């Protein structure tokens, strides 16, 4: 199956990636190489070894040698991964019905290392911090993302330090799906300003889990939050679709390597996450074209 999917992905990338000038290694080639590496969980440093042991990919790309580590790193920084992702989304052509917004922590070092540095107060990464996630307090960066729950594709993402509150980054994610019918969020986003923003700036209906720890006093609720709480009750079955973003994060972490991205000097985490998301969406796109489930991913990457 994977042998059919990779050529299909490469063909679609040919239509997406534009060239600005003639180079030894074109932008299309660089993107194709990086997507293959991310799908199979191979680092830049191991790329030559991987491709030399998979000559079928060399033949598919019509090349005899692979760019070295420095070239791949340099060129990746100059590729607009958000644009490539949006072009893949256009090919997937989602129905614009249900979108889900959430965030997840990306660890930049081992847990034991983070605890040791916490005691010593000596952190290497100036932009990592401690944040509260599903596994408790974790150290690293945070990826804020929005997905289409029907096609299972990642629509947009944004990187911050782990301590940034989810709600503060919600507005950018909401903007990227402003034409969707419904926007689904968990209780971390239950606030009047989120409801106000969705009602006033989008065509969407918010379905946000109610944060009961904040207290629900009827005569103190703003009009939009009161309306939002009523919508949450009415759309309780639709809210279950929000779990698709949790499943997506699990795939990105456990299968495509997003859980741990070690900090090194000058690493651009937005690009590092973008490469993984583009590779994931390429698989979703190929599955849709071939009539398979978007979640059918293991037989490609294994």
């Amino acid at each position: 199956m994977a042998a059919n999917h990779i050529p299909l992905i490469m063909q679609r990338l040919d239509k997406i990636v534009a060239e600005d000038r003639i180079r030894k290694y074109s932008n299309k080639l660089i993107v194709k190489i990086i997507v293959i590496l991310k799908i199979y969980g191979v680092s830049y440093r191991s790329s030559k070894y991987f491709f030399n042991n998979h000559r079928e990919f060399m033949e598919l790309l019509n090349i005899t040698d692979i760019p070295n580590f420095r070239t791949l790193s340099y060129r990746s920084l100059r590729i607009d991964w958000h644009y490539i992702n949006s072009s893949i989304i256009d090919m997937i052509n989602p129905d614009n019905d249900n979108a889900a917004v959430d965030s997840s922590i990306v660890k930049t070092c081992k847990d034991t290392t983070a605890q040791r540095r916490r005691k010593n107060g000596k952190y290497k990464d100036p932009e990592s911090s401690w944040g509260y996630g599903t596994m408790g307090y974790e150290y690293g960066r945070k990826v804020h993302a929005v997905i289409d729950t029907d096609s299972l594709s990642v629509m947009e993402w944004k990187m911050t330090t782990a301590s940034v509150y989810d709600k503060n980054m919600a507005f950018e994610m909401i903007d990227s799906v402003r034409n969707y019918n419904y926007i689904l969020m968990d209780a971390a986003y239950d606030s009047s300003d989120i409801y106000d923003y969705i009602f006033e700036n989008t065509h969407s209906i918010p379905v946000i889990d109610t944060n009961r720890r904040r207290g629900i006093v009827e005569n103190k609720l703003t009009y939009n939050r009161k309306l939002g709480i009523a919508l949450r009750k009415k759309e309780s079955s639709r809210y279950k679709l929000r779990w698709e973003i949790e499943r997506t994060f699990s795939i990105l972490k456990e299968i495509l390597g997003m859980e741990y991205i070690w900090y090194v000097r000058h690493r651009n985490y937005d690009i590092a996450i973008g490469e993984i998301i583009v590779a994931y969406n390429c698989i979703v796109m190929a599955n849709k074209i071939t009539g398979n489930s978007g979640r059918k991913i293991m037989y490609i990457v294994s």
Side-chain angles (χ1 to χ4, degrees):
M1 291 289 189
N4 296 329
H5 273 60
I6 298 300
L8 181 58
I9 291 170
M10 298 299 106
Q11 290 171 10
R12 294 309 188 274
L13 289 176
D14 267 331
K15 301 177 180 179
I16 292 172
V17 186
E19 300 296 338
D20 52 358
R21 59 188 175 89
I22 298 175
R23 301 175 181 177
K24 179 180 179 181
Y25 301 113
S26 66
N27 285 336
K28 289 182 181 180
L29 179 60
I30 295 296
V31 170
K32 289 178 180 179
I33 289 172
I34 291 175
V35 166
I36 290 174
L37 293 177
K38 293 303 172 184
I39 287 174
Y40 290 97
V42 181
S43 68
Y44 288 172
R45 293 188 184 277
S46 302
S47 58
K48 285 185 179 290
Y49 177 81
F50 173 79
F51 278 96
N52 285 334
N53 284 278
H54 292 81
R55 305 300 297 184
E56 68 274 18
F57 292 146
M58 300 277 279
E59 294 174 5
L60 176 63
L61 299 177
N62 193 26
I63 54 176
T64 56
D65 71 310
I66 295 295
N68 60 29
F69 166 78
R70 288 175 178 268
T71 301
L72 287 174
S73 300
Y74 177 83
R75 294 290 298 280
S76 176
L77 291 172
R78 282 147 186 82
I79 291 171
D80 188 345
W81 294 98
H82 287 272
Y83 170 77
I84 292 174
N85 189 65
S86 65
S87 299
I88 294 170
I89 296 298
D90 288 341
M91 289 188 171
I92 294 173
N93 192 24
D95 294 332
N96 290 16
D97 192 17
N98 301 292
V101 176
D102 205 354
S103 67
S104 184
I105 291 176
V106 178
K107 298 178 183 179
T108 55
C109 65
K110 294 181 179 178
D111 295 333
T112 53
T113 303
Q115 292 291 352
R116 185 178 69 252
R117 289 175 178 166
R118 188 177 193 177
K119 291 179 181 179
N120 299 333
K122 296 180 180 179
Y123 295 107
K124 286 188 175 181
D125 182 4
E127 294 186 37
S128 285
S129 61
W130 290 91
Y132 191 79
T134 55
M135 303 301 291
Y137 280 97
E138 298 174 292
Y139 179 79
R141 310 285 185 103
K142 183 180 282 188
V143 56
H144 306 262
V146 56
I147 74 161
D148 177 275
T149 63
D150 302 306
S151 70
L152 308 177
S153 51
V154 180
M155 307 297 291
E156 191 56 273
W157 73 94
K158 181 80 173 183
M159 291 300 299
T160 65
T161 189
S163 61
V164 171
Y165 190 48
D166 294 359
K167 181 176 75 72
N168 295 341
M169 300 306 300
F171 304 102
E172 290 186 51
M173 298 300 101
I174 291 168
D175 280 340
S176 66
V177 289
R178 62 190 311 116
N179 293 319
Y180 270 65
N181 294 328
Y182 298 90
I183 298 178
L184 319 175
M185 300 177 172
D186 65 21
Y189 301 91
D190 177 22
S191 67
S192 297
D193 51 349
I194 294 290
Y195 285 118
D196 293 345
Y197 192 83
I198 293 175
F199 284 132
E200 294 170 11
N201 298 281
T202 76
H203 301 288
S204 308
I205 295 173
V207 182
I208 304 174
D209 200 19
T210 304
N211 188 348
R212 299 190 178 277
R213 289 179 299 178
R214 295 180 56 197
I216 302 176
V217 182
E218 287 290 331
N219 61 354
K220 292 185 178 181
L221 293 176
T222 64
Y223 174 80
N224 280 342
R225 187 166 181 240
K226 186 184 294 186
L227 179 58
I229 292 172
L231 287 169
R232 167 67 177 88
K233 292 178 181 178
K234 180 182 178 182
E235 299 289 346
S236 57
S237 59
R238 186 182 301 276
Y239 180 76
K240 295 176 183 178
L241 294 173
R242 194 202 68 82
W243 285 101
E244 294 299 343
I245 195 168
E246 302 285 0
R247 296 186 182 99
T248 299
F249 280 140
S250 294
I251 289 174
L252 294 174
K253 287 185 170 185
E254 298 171 14
I255 301 176
L256 295 177
M258 193 184 79
E259 182 173 11
Y260 292 96
I261 301 180
W262 305 135
Y263 168 75
V264 294
R265 188 178 296 179
H266 304 310
R267 167 162 279 164
N268 186 314
Y269 274 85
D270 184 80
I271 288 174
I273 296 299
E275 293 173 349
I276 293 173
I277 288 175
V278 164
Y280 166 82
N281 278 341
C282 281
I283 297 174
V284 172
M285 174 183 64
N287 278 332
K288 180 174 182 179
I289 293 172
T290 56
N292 291 311
S293 167
R295 290 272 184 246
K296 203 168 185 180
I297 189 171
M298 279 304 298
Y299 74 107
I300 299 175
V301 303
S302 59

